[in-house]
Short mmCIF file of all heavy atoms in Angstrom, two decimals:
data_model
loop_
_atom_site.label_atom_id
_atom_site.label_comp_id
_atom_site.label_asym_id
_atom_site.label_seq_id
_atom_site.Cartn_x
_atom_site.Cartn_y
_atom_site.Cartn_z
N SER A 1 22.49 17.41 -17.76
CA SER A 1 23.93 17.21 -17.68
C SER A 1 24.49 16.31 -18.77
O SER A 1 25.74 16.17 -18.83
CB SER A 1 24.26 16.62 -16.29
OG SER A 1 23.70 15.31 -16.17
N VAL A 2 23.68 15.69 -19.60
CA VAL A 2 24.26 14.85 -20.63
C VAL A 2 23.82 15.31 -22.03
O VAL A 2 22.80 15.94 -22.22
CB VAL A 2 23.85 13.33 -20.45
CG1 VAL A 2 24.34 12.80 -19.14
CG2 VAL A 2 22.35 13.17 -20.55
N ARG A 3 24.70 15.02 -23.02
CA ARG A 3 24.42 15.49 -24.37
C ARG A 3 23.69 14.41 -25.19
O ARG A 3 23.15 14.73 -26.26
CB ARG A 3 25.76 15.83 -25.06
CG ARG A 3 26.36 17.04 -24.39
CD ARG A 3 27.71 17.39 -24.95
NE ARG A 3 27.69 17.41 -26.42
CZ ARG A 3 28.78 17.37 -27.16
NH1 ARG A 3 29.95 17.30 -26.59
NH2 ARG A 3 28.72 17.35 -28.48
N GLY A 4 23.73 13.16 -24.77
CA GLY A 4 23.06 12.14 -25.54
C GLY A 4 22.60 10.97 -24.66
O GLY A 4 23.20 10.73 -23.60
N TYR A 5 21.58 10.31 -25.11
CA TYR A 5 21.00 9.15 -24.39
C TYR A 5 20.61 8.13 -25.45
O TYR A 5 20.01 8.47 -26.48
CB TYR A 5 19.75 9.61 -23.64
CG TYR A 5 18.93 8.50 -23.06
CD1 TYR A 5 19.29 7.96 -21.83
CD2 TYR A 5 17.84 7.99 -23.74
CE1 TYR A 5 18.53 6.92 -21.28
CE2 TYR A 5 17.11 6.96 -23.18
CZ TYR A 5 17.43 6.42 -21.97
OH TYR A 5 16.73 5.39 -21.45
N ARG A 6 20.99 6.92 -25.26
CA ARG A 6 20.68 5.84 -26.18
C ARG A 6 20.09 4.66 -25.44
O ARG A 6 20.62 4.23 -24.41
CB ARG A 6 21.95 5.38 -26.92
CG ARG A 6 21.65 4.20 -27.83
CD ARG A 6 22.90 3.76 -28.52
NE ARG A 6 22.64 2.49 -29.20
CZ ARG A 6 23.53 1.93 -29.96
NH1 ARG A 6 24.70 2.44 -30.15
NH2 ARG A 6 23.18 0.80 -30.56
N ALA A 7 19.00 4.13 -25.92
CA ALA A 7 18.37 2.94 -25.37
C ALA A 7 18.05 1.98 -26.52
O ALA A 7 17.43 2.41 -27.47
CB ALA A 7 17.10 3.29 -24.62
N GLU A 8 18.50 0.75 -26.39
CA GLU A 8 18.28 -0.21 -27.47
C GLU A 8 17.60 -1.45 -26.89
O GLU A 8 18.03 -2.02 -25.89
CB GLU A 8 19.63 -0.59 -28.09
CG GLU A 8 19.46 -1.47 -29.29
CD GLU A 8 20.78 -1.64 -30.05
OE1 GLU A 8 21.70 -0.85 -29.89
OE2 GLU A 8 20.85 -2.64 -30.79
N THR A 9 16.56 -1.81 -27.57
CA THR A 9 15.76 -3.04 -27.25
C THR A 9 15.36 -3.11 -25.76
O THR A 9 15.47 -4.17 -25.14
CB THR A 9 16.46 -4.31 -27.67
OG1 THR A 9 17.68 -4.45 -26.95
CG2 THR A 9 16.73 -4.37 -29.16
N VAL A 10 14.90 -1.98 -25.25
CA VAL A 10 14.46 -1.99 -23.85
C VAL A 10 13.01 -1.44 -23.66
O VAL A 10 12.29 -1.91 -22.82
CB VAL A 10 15.45 -1.26 -22.93
CG1 VAL A 10 15.49 0.21 -23.22
CG2 VAL A 10 15.13 -1.53 -21.47
N PHE A 11 12.64 -0.42 -24.43
CA PHE A 11 11.38 0.25 -24.17
C PHE A 11 10.16 -0.68 -24.38
O PHE A 11 9.13 -0.49 -23.72
CB PHE A 11 11.26 1.48 -25.04
CG PHE A 11 11.94 2.66 -24.41
CD1 PHE A 11 13.33 2.79 -24.51
CD2 PHE A 11 11.26 3.62 -23.70
CE1 PHE A 11 13.97 3.85 -23.90
CE2 PHE A 11 11.88 4.70 -23.12
CZ PHE A 11 13.24 4.79 -23.19
N HIS A 12 10.24 -1.65 -25.21
CA HIS A 12 9.13 -2.52 -25.46
C HIS A 12 8.88 -3.47 -24.27
O HIS A 12 7.80 -4.05 -24.18
CB HIS A 12 9.36 -3.33 -26.74
CG HIS A 12 10.46 -4.35 -26.67
ND1 HIS A 12 11.75 -3.96 -26.69
CD2 HIS A 12 10.45 -5.69 -26.53
CE1 HIS A 12 12.53 -5.04 -26.58
NE2 HIS A 12 11.73 -6.11 -26.48
N VAL A 13 9.81 -3.62 -23.36
CA VAL A 13 9.58 -4.49 -22.20
C VAL A 13 9.27 -3.73 -20.91
O VAL A 13 8.92 -4.33 -19.90
CB VAL A 13 10.76 -5.44 -21.97
CG1 VAL A 13 10.98 -6.35 -23.16
CG2 VAL A 13 12.03 -4.65 -21.66
N LEU A 14 9.36 -2.41 -20.95
CA LEU A 14 9.06 -1.60 -19.76
C LEU A 14 7.54 -1.49 -19.54
O LEU A 14 6.81 -1.32 -20.51
CB LEU A 14 9.65 -0.19 -19.89
CG LEU A 14 11.16 -0.12 -19.99
CD1 LEU A 14 11.58 1.32 -20.23
CD2 LEU A 14 11.82 -0.67 -18.74
N GLN A 15 7.11 -1.55 -18.31
CA GLN A 15 5.69 -1.36 -17.98
C GLN A 15 5.25 0.07 -18.13
O GLN A 15 4.13 0.36 -18.48
CB GLN A 15 5.41 -1.89 -16.59
CG GLN A 15 5.54 -3.37 -16.53
CD GLN A 15 4.75 -3.94 -15.36
OE1 GLN A 15 3.99 -3.25 -14.69
NE2 GLN A 15 4.96 -5.22 -15.09
N GLU A 16 6.17 1.00 -17.89
CA GLU A 16 5.88 2.45 -18.02
C GLU A 16 6.95 3.14 -18.82
O GLU A 16 7.77 3.90 -18.27
CB GLU A 16 5.74 3.03 -16.63
CG GLU A 16 4.59 2.49 -15.83
CD GLU A 16 4.53 3.14 -14.45
OE1 GLU A 16 4.05 4.32 -14.40
OE2 GLU A 16 4.98 2.52 -13.47
N PRO A 17 7.01 2.88 -20.14
CA PRO A 17 8.09 3.51 -20.94
C PRO A 17 8.07 5.05 -20.90
O PRO A 17 9.12 5.66 -21.05
CB PRO A 17 7.85 2.93 -22.34
CG PRO A 17 6.41 2.52 -22.36
CD PRO A 17 6.12 2.11 -20.94
N GLU A 18 6.92 5.60 -20.68
CA GLU A 18 6.86 7.07 -20.66
C GLU A 18 7.66 7.65 -19.55
O GLU A 18 8.20 8.73 -19.60
CB GLU A 18 5.39 7.56 -20.60
CG GLU A 18 4.62 7.17 -19.36
CD GLU A 18 4.05 5.75 -19.39
OE1 GLU A 18 4.23 5.02 -20.38
OE2 GLU A 18 3.41 5.37 -18.36
N ARG A 19 7.81 6.89 -18.43
CA ARG A 19 8.61 7.35 -17.31
C ARG A 19 10.09 7.35 -17.67
O ARG A 19 10.87 8.24 -17.28
CB ARG A 19 8.39 6.46 -16.05
CG ARG A 19 7.06 6.72 -15.42
CD ARG A 19 6.85 5.89 -14.19
NE ARG A 19 7.82 6.30 -13.16
CZ ARG A 19 8.17 5.54 -12.14
NH1 ARG A 19 7.66 4.34 -11.97
NH2 ARG A 19 9.05 5.99 -11.27
N ALA A 20 10.53 6.35 -18.44
CA ALA A 20 11.92 6.28 -18.88
C ALA A 20 12.22 7.42 -19.85
O ALA A 20 13.32 8.00 -19.76
CB ALA A 20 12.19 4.94 -19.54
N VAL A 21 11.31 7.75 -20.74
CA VAL A 21 11.51 8.83 -21.66
C VAL A 21 11.57 10.15 -20.91
O VAL A 21 12.43 11.01 -21.19
CB VAL A 21 10.40 8.89 -22.74
CG1 VAL A 21 10.49 10.16 -23.58
CG2 VAL A 21 10.52 7.65 -23.63
N ALA A 22 10.70 10.34 -19.92
CA ALA A 22 10.68 11.57 -19.13
C ALA A 22 12.02 11.74 -18.38
O ALA A 22 12.57 12.85 -18.30
CB ALA A 22 9.55 11.57 -18.13
N GLU A 23 12.55 10.61 -17.86
CA GLU A 23 13.85 10.69 -17.15
C GLU A 23 14.97 11.03 -18.12
O GLU A 23 15.85 11.81 -17.82
CB GLU A 23 14.12 9.38 -16.43
CG GLU A 23 15.37 9.36 -15.61
CD GLU A 23 15.42 10.32 -14.45
OE1 GLU A 23 14.44 11.10 -14.19
OE2 GLU A 23 16.45 10.39 -13.77
N ALA A 24 14.94 10.46 -19.31
CA ALA A 24 15.97 10.78 -20.32
C ALA A 24 15.88 12.25 -20.68
O ALA A 24 16.95 12.90 -20.80
CB ALA A 24 15.75 9.88 -21.56
N ARG A 25 14.73 12.77 -20.86
CA ARG A 25 14.57 14.18 -21.19
C ARG A 25 15.07 15.09 -20.03
O ARG A 25 15.65 16.13 -20.29
CB ARG A 25 13.11 14.54 -21.48
CG ARG A 25 12.66 13.94 -22.82
CD ARG A 25 11.30 14.38 -23.21
NE ARG A 25 11.36 15.81 -23.53
CZ ARG A 25 10.36 16.63 -23.47
NH1 ARG A 25 9.17 16.19 -23.12
NH2 ARG A 25 10.48 17.89 -23.79
N ARG A 26 14.88 14.63 -18.80
CA ARG A 26 15.29 15.41 -17.66
C ARG A 26 16.85 15.58 -17.65
O ARG A 26 17.33 16.67 -17.36
CB ARG A 26 14.88 14.69 -16.34
CG ARG A 26 15.29 15.43 -15.11
CD ARG A 26 15.08 14.60 -13.83
NE ARG A 26 16.02 13.52 -13.74
CZ ARG A 26 17.28 13.61 -13.31
NH1 ARG A 26 17.80 14.80 -12.99
NH2 ARG A 26 18.06 12.57 -13.23
N ILE A 27 17.56 14.54 -17.97
CA ILE A 27 19.03 14.62 -17.87
C ILE A 27 19.67 15.20 -19.10
O ILE A 27 20.85 15.59 -19.07
CB ILE A 27 19.63 13.24 -17.58
CG1 ILE A 27 19.42 12.25 -18.71
CG2 ILE A 27 19.11 12.68 -16.26
CD1 ILE A 27 20.20 10.96 -18.56
N LEU A 28 18.94 15.35 -20.21
CA LEU A 28 19.52 15.91 -21.40
C LEU A 28 19.70 17.41 -21.32
O LEU A 28 18.84 18.13 -20.81
CB LEU A 28 18.59 15.62 -22.62
CG LEU A 28 18.65 14.26 -23.24
CD1 LEU A 28 17.63 14.13 -24.33
CD2 LEU A 28 20.07 13.96 -23.78
N CYS A 29 20.78 17.87 -21.86
CA CYS A 29 21.02 19.31 -21.95
C CYS A 29 20.21 19.85 -23.13
O CYS A 29 19.79 19.07 -24.00
CB CYS A 29 22.51 19.58 -22.17
SG CYS A 29 23.19 19.05 -23.72
N PRO A 30 19.98 21.15 -23.21
CA PRO A 30 19.25 21.72 -24.35
C PRO A 30 20.01 21.33 -25.65
O PRO A 30 21.24 21.41 -25.72
CB PRO A 30 19.36 23.22 -24.11
CG PRO A 30 19.47 23.35 -22.62
CD PRO A 30 20.32 22.19 -22.17
N GLY A 31 19.26 20.85 -26.60
CA GLY A 31 19.82 20.40 -27.87
C GLY A 31 20.38 18.97 -27.84
O GLY A 31 20.85 18.48 -28.82
N GLY A 32 20.22 18.32 -26.66
CA GLY A 32 20.71 16.94 -26.57
C GLY A 32 19.82 16.02 -27.38
O GLY A 32 18.76 16.37 -27.81
N ARG A 33 20.31 14.80 -27.60
CA ARG A 33 19.60 13.85 -28.47
C ARG A 33 19.32 12.56 -27.77
O ARG A 33 20.12 12.05 -26.97
CB ARG A 33 20.43 13.56 -29.68
CG ARG A 33 20.63 14.76 -30.61
CD ARG A 33 21.45 14.44 -31.77
NE ARG A 33 21.67 15.63 -32.52
CZ ARG A 33 21.54 15.68 -33.83
NH1 ARG A 33 21.22 14.63 -34.50
NH2 ARG A 33 21.75 16.83 -34.44
N ILE A 34 18.12 12.03 -28.08
CA ILE A 34 17.74 10.73 -27.58
C ILE A 34 17.67 9.81 -28.79
O ILE A 34 17.08 10.15 -29.82
CB ILE A 34 16.34 10.72 -26.93
CG1 ILE A 34 16.37 11.61 -25.66
CG2 ILE A 34 15.88 9.32 -26.59
CD1 ILE A 34 15.03 11.74 -24.99
N VAL A 35 18.29 8.64 -28.71
CA VAL A 35 18.22 7.63 -29.78
C VAL A 35 17.59 6.39 -29.17
O VAL A 35 18.07 5.85 -28.20
CB VAL A 35 19.60 7.29 -30.33
CG1 VAL A 35 19.50 6.18 -31.36
CG2 VAL A 35 20.24 8.53 -30.93
N LEU A 36 16.46 6.01 -29.72
CA LEU A 36 15.76 4.82 -29.30
C LEU A 36 15.79 3.80 -30.44
O LEU A 36 15.43 4.14 -31.55
CB LEU A 36 14.30 5.09 -28.92
CG LEU A 36 14.10 6.19 -27.85
CD1 LEU A 36 12.63 6.40 -27.62
CD2 LEU A 36 14.80 5.82 -26.56
N ALA A 37 16.19 2.61 -30.17
CA ALA A 37 16.27 1.57 -31.22
C ALA A 37 15.61 0.33 -30.67
O ALA A 37 15.69 0.02 -29.49
CB ALA A 37 17.73 1.31 -31.62
N GLY A 38 14.99 -0.36 -31.56
CA GLY A 38 14.34 -1.63 -31.19
C GLY A 38 14.29 -2.58 -32.35
O GLY A 38 14.58 -2.19 -33.50
N ARG A 39 13.94 -3.79 -32.07
CA ARG A 39 13.86 -4.82 -33.13
C ARG A 39 12.56 -5.57 -32.90
O ARG A 39 12.18 -5.88 -31.80
CB ARG A 39 15.01 -5.78 -33.03
CG ARG A 39 16.33 -5.18 -33.28
CD ARG A 39 17.41 -6.25 -33.32
NE ARG A 39 18.70 -5.58 -33.47
CZ ARG A 39 19.65 -5.66 -32.57
NH1 ARG A 39 19.48 -6.37 -31.50
NH2 ARG A 39 20.80 -5.06 -32.74
N ASP A 40 11.94 -5.86 -34.03
CA ASP A 40 10.79 -6.76 -33.98
C ASP A 40 11.33 -8.17 -34.23
O ASP A 40 11.44 -8.62 -35.33
CB ASP A 40 9.77 -6.38 -35.07
CG ASP A 40 8.53 -7.22 -35.04
OD1 ASP A 40 8.49 -8.23 -34.29
OD2 ASP A 40 7.57 -6.88 -35.75
N ARG A 41 11.64 -8.84 -33.16
CA ARG A 41 12.25 -10.17 -33.27
C ARG A 41 11.35 -11.18 -33.93
O ARG A 41 11.82 -12.14 -34.55
CB ARG A 41 12.72 -10.66 -31.91
CG ARG A 41 13.83 -9.76 -31.34
CD ARG A 41 14.52 -10.41 -30.19
NE ARG A 41 15.46 -9.51 -29.56
CZ ARG A 41 16.72 -9.39 -29.92
NH1 ARG A 41 17.22 -10.07 -30.89
NH2 ARG A 41 17.48 -8.55 -29.27
N ASP A 42 10.05 -10.99 -33.82
CA ASP A 42 9.10 -11.91 -34.45
C ASP A 42 9.16 -11.84 -35.98
O ASP A 42 8.90 -12.76 -36.70
CB ASP A 42 7.69 -11.70 -33.97
CG ASP A 42 7.51 -12.06 -32.52
OD1 ASP A 42 8.29 -12.90 -32.00
OD2 ASP A 42 6.64 -11.45 -31.86
N ALA A 43 9.49 -10.62 -36.47
CA ALA A 43 9.56 -10.42 -37.90
C ALA A 43 10.93 -10.80 -38.50
O ALA A 43 11.05 -10.93 -39.71
CB ALA A 43 9.25 -8.95 -38.23
N SER A 44 11.91 -10.98 -37.65
CA SER A 44 13.25 -11.29 -38.15
C SER A 44 13.35 -12.72 -38.58
O SER A 44 12.82 -13.62 -38.09
CB SER A 44 14.31 -11.02 -37.03
OG SER A 44 14.27 -9.65 -36.68
#
């Protein structure tokens, strides 16, 4: 039902990030896009 999904600075703290990705894929329509962004705060 959705055309896009964005998650920023969250996947690195999840215990089971693969479940979050699977859920994002479930709600995406065909051709939908997932954008994942993160930061390496230790390197900043």
Side-chain angles (χ1 to χ4, degrees):
S1 65
V2 298
R3 293 177 48 197
Y5 171 85
R6 176 182 170 174
E8 187 170 339
T9 63
V10 68
F11 276 79
H12 68 285
V13 298
L14 297 175
Q15 291 202 9
E16 298 180 76
E18 64 278 0
R19 289 182 64 200
V21 171
E23 183 63 1
R25 289 187 69 203
R26 180 190 72 78
I27 65 170
L28 280 176
C29 67
R33 294 180 183 225
I34 296 177
V35 175
L36 305 178
R39 295 186 186 118
D40 182 352
R41 296 195 187 271
D42 293 333
S44 298

